[in-house]
Amino acid sequence: MTIRMLIAAGAALAATGTVVPALAGESLDAVRERGSLICGVNTGLSGFSAPDSEGVWAGLDVDVCKAVAAAILGDGEAVEFIPSTAQQRFTMLQSGEIDVLSRNTTWTLTRDTALGLNFAGVTFYDGQGFMVPAELGVTSALELDGATVCVQPGTTTELNLADYFRANEMEFDAVVIESFEEVNAAYFAGRCDVYTTDASGLASVRATTAPNPADHVILPEIISKEPLGPVVRHGDDEFLDIVKWVVFALIEAEEKGITQANLDEMLESTDPAVQRLLGVTEGMGEALGLSESWAYDAIAAVGNYGEIFDRNVGPETALGLERGVNDLWTRGGLMYAMPAR
Ligand SMILES: N[C@@H](CCC(=O)N[C@@H](CS)C(=O)NCC(=O)O)C(=O)O
């Protein structure tokens, strides 16, 4: 055998022989049989997941579920949304009541291990902040010694709050309320001096729930890292792979300039990476146990990551968030898709 023949044989193997057909895991089978994805969301956090007056869910976390449903079933509307409080969410996933949790949930070590769950990526890099009534005249979190703080249980928020005050030798009284509606009502009724949660959550609560948003100030300190993303159960690698690669596909679509509007033109692209992602070159779908149009269908349903961000939480929305660290790595942010090949 010549060296040339060896290289050719190796290339052929790399192209075909190494692909092990994906075994359909339990979750994928269940979603297919049911004809819909059951997605756990929150009870109504505008920008991330909230129902409108007709009960139609919208938000960044909602779009992630729609993208997964589109990739599996070819239909982004084939999703049933189940609301959960912070405290209920992990039990719902562990018990099989939901297939995937997409609910501003922070990726932490214990959730990813001891709780029997797997995080499938990061769809929003966040951090915890504080909001106070402007009339208090507070300008820094370090002035909050002795404050009463409204917080929801079962959150990283509650834990970071205690860490931050202890580290800075400050005292606080927590007002711990499970229901989101009630914790908001308590803060706006003046039952606590401070509201703490993820900075995106503060922006959402201030823009959509405050009687007058200008009456509330979000303090400059960000006291934690809150990488938020979709979660699945341990023990179903195929389903984990699917959710993970759908998230990457949405990011890669933005990296490659593929949008909901130009998707069909992009089928003509001569870029091999675009051809692979959109299934023009076959193989990625088969590797995931899905149809070759999985990424095409996901992007057709909700657009690329940047479109999802802008539509739900970006500068033109009520939340008015900048891309910041959620921008693509090529523009100085953290969003980076692993290569689809
Ligand atoms: N990212 C944090 C906090 C998540 C959280 O539950 N935040 C609250 C406050 S923004 C929330 O989403 N509430 C909405 C609800 O309970 O429906 C975590 O994973 O623990």
Side-chain angles (χ1 to χ4, degrees):
M1 226 188 229
T2 65
I3 187 80
R4 201 175 282 273
M5 285 161 77
L6 277 173
I7 290 170
L13 188 68
T16 57
T18 53
V19 176
V20 180
L23 299 168
E26 257 176 52
S27 305
L28 180 57
D29 286 344
V31 171
R32 284 201 170 122
E33 257 162 54
R34 203 191 293 128
S36 69
L37 178 77
I38 304 182
C39 177
V41 288
N42 58 33
T43 59
L45 179 65
S46 248
F48 286 86
S49 51
D52 68 12
S53 54
E54 266 139 45
V56 177
W57 288 85
L60 187 143
D61 290 338
V62 163
D63 283 349
V64 170
C65 292
K66 289 183 173 179
V68 172
I72 296 175
L73 300 164
D75 178 4
E77 295 306 314
V79 192
E80 189 187 335
F81 294 101
I82 310 243
S84 71
T85 66
Q87 205 143 39
Q88 299 163 330
R89 62 187 151 171
F90 300 121
T91 318
M92 284 170 60
L93 184 56
Q94 288 158 339
S95 68
E97 197 180 328
I98 55 177
D99 301 312
V100 58
L101 177 71
S102 183
R103 184 202 173 284
N104 56 337
T105 294
T106 305
W107 187 346
T108 69
L109 187 150
T110 49
R111 289 174 176 178
D112 203 25
T113 55
L115 288 194
L117 307 175
N118 276 324
F119 281 77
V122 178
T123 49
F124 191 96
Y125 289 92
D126 210 339
Q128 184 174 335
F130 297 100
M131 178 163 71
V132 293
E135 63 180 18
L136 294 185
V138 172
T139 56
S140 159
L142 295 169
E143 296 164 30
L144 295 177
D145 194 10
T148 306
V149 187
C150 273
V151 63
Q152 281 186 283
T155 56
T156 48
T157 321
E158 206 185 0
L159 310 174
N160 300 324
L161 170 67
D163 285 357
Y164 182 76
F165 275 71
R166 193 180 312 113
N168 289 290
E169 296 177 355
M170 303 191 301
E171 305 276 329
F172 71 99
D173 278 321
V175 175
V176 183
I177 302 175
E178 182 177 358
S179 147
F180 188 48
E181 232 176 278
E182 285 170 26
V183 76
N184 292 341
Y187 170 74
F188 290 115
R191 274 185 60 200
C192 11
D193 310 312
V194 186
Y195 192 123
T196 186
T197 185
D198 301 338
S200 64
L202 292 178
S204 174
V205 170
R206 181 170 66 171
T208 62
T209 316
N212 180 10
D215 289 347
H216 300 273
V217 186
I218 296 174
L219 299 177
E221 287 84 0
I222 296 292
I223 65 162
S224 69
K225 291 185 288 184
E226 306 295 324
L228 313 177
V231 199
V232 298
R233 277 179 294 280
H234 266 179
D236 195 339
D237 289 358
E238 289 75 21
F239 196 63
L240 171 64
D241 286 343
I242 289 168
V243 179
K244 181 173 31 176
W245 283 95
V246 167
V247 172
F248 287 148
L250 299 174
I251 298 169
E252 181 156 5
E254 185 178 14
E255 290 174 350
K256 291 290 176 188
I258 305 168
T259 66
Q260 218 170 3
N262 73 12
L263 192 51
D264 283 321
E265 285 155 50
M266 281 292 181
L267 289 174
E268 311 297 324
S269 167
T270 53
D271 179 342
V274 172
Q275 294 174 342
R276 267 194 306 276
L277 188 68
L278 298 183
V280 175
T281 306
E282 299 195 344
M284 302 303 105
E286 187 192 358
L288 285 166
L290 300 177
S291 88
E292 294 301 337
S293 66
W294 66 282
Y296 176 101
D297 292 336
I299 302 160
V302 293
N304 68 38
Y305 178 75
E307 293 180 282
I308 296 170
F309 186 100
D310 287 345
R311 179 168 63 239
N312 295 302
V313 300
E316 308 293 313
T317 67
L319 275 70
L321 302 176
E322 298 296 330
R323 280 298 287 275
V325 288
N326 291 298
D327 213 334
L328 293 181
W329 62 287
T330 48
R331 295 193 289 253
L334 295 172
M335 287 297 165
Y336 180 114
M338 304 308 139
R341 71 177 315 127

